[in-house]
């Protein structure tokens, strides 16, 4: 009966143990939840009282900022007992609540258990987690986890929200130098991640800022085997902002290596992109064909 008694804040004993953030109290949560489950405290859906009423003990544990309170260990015990489930991470936005320099191990544990929560978790205004207003520590935690589980997407560094990439948002929130210190730590320049190649496709105006930190990438190829000039040429051609009438020099200065390379994004050669564009730049298509007629053989 004592396990069902609520205090003046409508908290059950198992919930109050998390709410107080006391080392001694938090360690009793698994036992209280186990007994609460046996006695049906809070009803069938409350998991022994953990989710009773408007108070969510899992959220309280995730957002604990006391360095000496072993909330991660308690959540791991609850997971082994079946009282903390994988879907809880997304359902209760636990990644967002665990953003704290004291909760880094907990954040890493949650992201490892459900990597896709890095994509689905949103901030206070509905923005993606990596766009949420953050500190330098928060940015590093999110980007590090993103690179660990989604290296092919560069940890969502170039994910856009309301027209702005996460990289740009970090520049605005932290300043370029601080943001780049974190980016270089999580995405080391001496490793070939083709960060510049991705930047020129998504946010070309960032190239000059980023290339200073990743100068060697200008001479490397991306995962599709393309050089940086090929990626830039394909990206500009796809945007449709370059026409033969207005910027003939852009295409005249392109080397055969750029014109002959297939764009993996559109799965077409530049000649085909020019001919199939909605506006249909036939002059450009004819020019590209004269430059590299061998493309037709492919």
């Amino acid at each position: 009966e004592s396990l069902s008694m609520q205090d003046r804040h409508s908290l059950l004993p198992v919930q109050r143990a998390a709410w107080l953030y006391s080392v001694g109290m938090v360690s009793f949560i698994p036992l209280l939840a186990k007994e609460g489950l046996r006695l049906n405290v809070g009803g069938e859906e409350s998991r022994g009282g953990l989710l009773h009423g408007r108070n969510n003990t899992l959220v309280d544990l995730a957002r604990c900022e006391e360095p000496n309170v072993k909330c991660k260990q308690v959540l791991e015990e609850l997971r082994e007992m079946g009282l903390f489930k994988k879907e809880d991470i997304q359902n209760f936005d636990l990644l967002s609540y665990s953003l704290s320099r004291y909760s880094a191990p907990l954040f890493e544990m949650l992201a490892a258990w459900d990597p896709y929560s890095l994509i689905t978790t949103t901030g206070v205004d509905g923005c993606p987690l990596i766009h949420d207003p953050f500190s330098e520590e928060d940015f590093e935690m999110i980007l590090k986890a993103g690179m660990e589980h989604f290296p092919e997407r560069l940890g969502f560094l170039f994910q856009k929200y309301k027209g702005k990439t996460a990289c740009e948002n970090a520049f605005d929130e932290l300043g370029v130098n601080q943001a780049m210190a974190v980016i270089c730590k999580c995405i080391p320049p001496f490793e070939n991640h083709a960060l510049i190649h991705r930047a020129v496709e998504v946010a070309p105006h960032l190239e000059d800022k980023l290339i200073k930190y990743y100068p060697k990438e200008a001479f490397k190829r991306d995962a599709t085997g393309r050089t940086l000039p090929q990626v830039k040429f394909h990206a500009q051609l796809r945007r449709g902002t370059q026409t033969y009438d207005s910027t003939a020099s852009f295409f005249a200065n392109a080397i055969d290596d750029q014109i002959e390379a297939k764009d993996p994004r559109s799965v077409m050669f530049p000649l085909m992109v020019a001919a199939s564009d909605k506006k249909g730049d036939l002059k450009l298509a004819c020019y590209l064909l004269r430059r590299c007629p061998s493309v037709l053989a492919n």
Side-chain angles (χ1 to χ4, degrees):
E1 183 178 341
S2 61
L3 294 177
S4 300
M5 294 181 63
Q6 300 180 33
D7 64 10
R8 60 190 180 90
H9 298 290
S10 300
L11 296 172
L12 294 170
V14 68
Q15 296 173 315
R16 185 165 180 77
W19 194 64
L20 291 173
Y21 293 137
S22 164
V23 178
M25 292 294 290
V26 166
S27 61
F28 283 105
I29 289 177
L31 177 60
L32 292 170
K34 179 181 178 180
E35 288 302 302
L37 185 67
R38 183 177 66 85
L39 299 172
N40 198 30
V41 172
E44 294 182 1
E45 302 299 323
S46 71
R47 301 185 203 169
L50 292 172
L51 308 180
H52 176 67
R54 294 185 299 174
N55 299 293
N56 189 321
T57 306
L58 300 178
V59 170
D60 287 336
L61 289 170
R63 66 184 175 191
C64 175
E65 296 187 5
E66 297 296 328
N68 296 320
V69 179
K70 308 299 183 182
C71 293
K72 174 177 175 288
Q73 180 179 334
V74 171
L75 283 171
E76 288 175 333
E77 289 184 45
L78 293 173
R79 178 172 65 177
E80 292 174 2
M81 297 164 62
L83 296 178
F84 175 31
K85 303 178 181 180
K86 183 177 180 178
E87 56 266 29
D88 293 334
I89 299 174
Q90 294 189 37
N91 291 342
F92 303 135
D93 284 335
L94 297 185
L95 274 187
S96 181
Y97 286 113
S98 65
L99 277 176
S100 164
R101 61 194 179 102
Y102 297 123
S103 301
L106 172 56
F107 182 90
E108 293 170 4
M109 183 268 282
L110 296 174
W113 193 15
D114 184 12
Y116 285 96
S117 61
L118 290 165
I119 302 173
T120 60
T121 301
T122 57
V124 292
D125 64 346
C127 68
L129 186 64
I130 198 168
H131 280 266
D132 204 28
F134 43 54
S135 65
E136 186 175 343
E137 292 80 7
D138 292 344
F139 182 44
E140 182 176 338
M141 286 168 61
I142 299 168
L143 185 58
K144 178 183 176 183
M147 280 301 297
E148 183 174 349
H149 301 291
F150 298 95
E152 73 284 355
R153 300 176 69 171
L154 291 174
F156 310 108
L157 182 63
F158 296 110
Q159 180 185 42
K160 283 191 174 183
Y161 177 69
K162 293 185 177 180
K164 183 189 292 187
T165 65
C167 183
E168 294 169 277
N169 188 61
F171 287 167
D172 293 341
E173 293 285 338
L174 306 175
V176 175
N177 291 335
Q178 279 186 293
M180 285 308 307
V182 173
I183 293 171
C184 289
K185 185 176 181 181
C186 298
I187 311 175
F190 56 82
E191 297 178 1
N192 185 20
H193 289 286
L195 182 144
I196 304 300
H197 298 65
R198 183 61 179 151
V200 299
E201 286 196 296
V202 180
H205 56 283
L206 293 179
E207 182 184 4
D208 287 334
K209 287 183 179 179
L210 296 172
I211 198 71
K212 293 183 292 185
Y213 298 88
Y214 295 83
K216 292 184 178 180
E217 288 202 358
F219 309 101
K220 295 183 178 180
R221 296 177 181 268
D222 66 7
T224 66
R226 292 181 300 166
T227 63
L228 184 59
Q230 288 175 327
V231 173
K232 294 173 71 171
F233 184 75
H234 290 155
Q236 290 179 306
L237 195 59
R238 279 199 311 272
R239 292 188 191 103
T241 56
Q242 308 280 8
T243 65
Y244 191 71
D245 280 337
S246 62
T247 54
S249 61
F250 170 75
F251 300 102
N253 291 327
I255 61 177
D256 291 350
D257 185 48
Q258 293 170 295
I259 297 174
E260 294 175 346
K262 181 185 289 187
D263 180 0
R265 292 279 297 277
S266 64
V267 199
M268 293 190 292
F269 291 98
L271 165 63
M272 299 164 64
V273 174
S276 63
D277 186 69
K278 293 180 180 179
K279 297 180 181 179
D281 194 341
L282 296 181
K283 290 183 179 179
L284 174 58
C286 290
Y287 173 78
L288 295 176
L289 179 59
R290 290 197 302 270
R291 279 281 304 271
C292 294
S294 60
V295 168
L296 292 180
N298 295 319

